[in-house]
């Protein structure tokens, strides 16, 4: 719970995640419920149930593609859905991974119709290598 001036807000999230891996492919399933309470939120969006499914596949040692979709349900029914897609490149001689993704998200505010959000991301990750010492 947070209090700023006269605005009080809090949130709780309960979720279940499952990951299935086969060869170079990963499938991720996520389901849960978010309870958000704030003076500025419409009451129909206080409790949202959500489901998402995403997948990634390593084409080879350097290239990875990914995508997914998620939906949200509230008292008004379907209140949001989104799709995302992206790819990544792992450099051969440097411990770096360059990733990019695009996301389209649409959500409904009760009585106001659907709103769209478009977003993109470019990310550069440094891959650390660790050596496990088996001597204990």
């Amino acid at each position: 719970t947070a209090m700023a001036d006269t605005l009080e807000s809090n949130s709780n999230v309960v979720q279940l995640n499952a990951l299935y891996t086969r060869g170079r492919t990963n499938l991720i399933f996520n389901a849960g419920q978010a309870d958000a309470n704030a003076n500025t939120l419409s009451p129909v969006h206080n409790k949202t149930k959500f489901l998402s499914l995403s997948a990634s596949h390593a084409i080879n040692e350097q290239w990875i593609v990914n995508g997914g979709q998620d939906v949200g349900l509230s008292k008004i029914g379907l209140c949001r859905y989104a799709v995302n897609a992206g790819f990544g490149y792992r450099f051969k001689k440097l411990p770096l991974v360059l990733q990019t993704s695009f996301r389209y998200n649409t959500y409904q505010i009760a009585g106001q119709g659907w709103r769209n959000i478009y977003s993109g991301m470019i990310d550069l990750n440094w891959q650390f290598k660790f050596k496990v010492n088996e001597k204990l």
Side-chain angles (χ1 to χ4, degrees):
T1 301
M3 175 70 108
D5 286 331
T6 59
L7 177 67
E8 182 178 345
S9 64
N10 62 54
S11 64
N12 295 303
V13 176
V14 176
Q15 63 183 356
L16 170 71
N17 297 296
L19 169 67
Y20 175 75
T21 301
R22 183 169 185 160
R24 296 179 173 197
T25 303
N26 294 319
L27 297 174
I28 301 169
F29 173 76
N30 185 19
Q33 178 172 309
D35 297 328
N37 298 301
N39 298 345
T40 58
L41 284 177
S42 168
V44 298
H45 292 288
N46 286 0
K47 287 189 179 189
T48 304
K49 293 177 174 73
F50 55 87
L51 295 169
S52 67
L53 180 63
S54 59
S56 68
H57 178 74
I59 297 170
N60 55 38
E61 293 296 318
Q62 278 72 47
W63 290 99
I64 302 164
V65 295
N66 59 60
Q69 182 170 15
D70 52 279
V71 296
L73 303 166
S74 70
K75 289 181 182 180
I76 61 173
L78 182 66
C79 64
R80 75 174 170 88
Y81 63 90
V83 293
N84 60 285
F87 63 90
Y89 180 78
R90 183 181 330 246
F91 291 85
K92 286 183 181 182
K93 297 186 180 191
L94 296 172
L96 299 173
V97 176
L98 180 65
Q99 295 178 314
T100 184
S101 67
F102 174 77
R103 181 173 175 85
Y104 167 70
N105 188 15
T106 184
Y107 62 96
Q108 183 176 202
I109 297 176
Q112 297 181 24
W114 289 88
R115 306 290 171 106
N116 299 316
I117 299 174
Y118 300 92
S119 61
M121 183 251 334
I122 297 174
D123 189 32
L124 184 62
N125 294 307
W126 183 278
Q127 301 286 299
F128 291 100
K129 290 186 180 182
F130 294 96
K131 191 174 191 178
V132 176
N133 187 353
E134 305 242 348
K135 296 177 188 177
L136 295 178

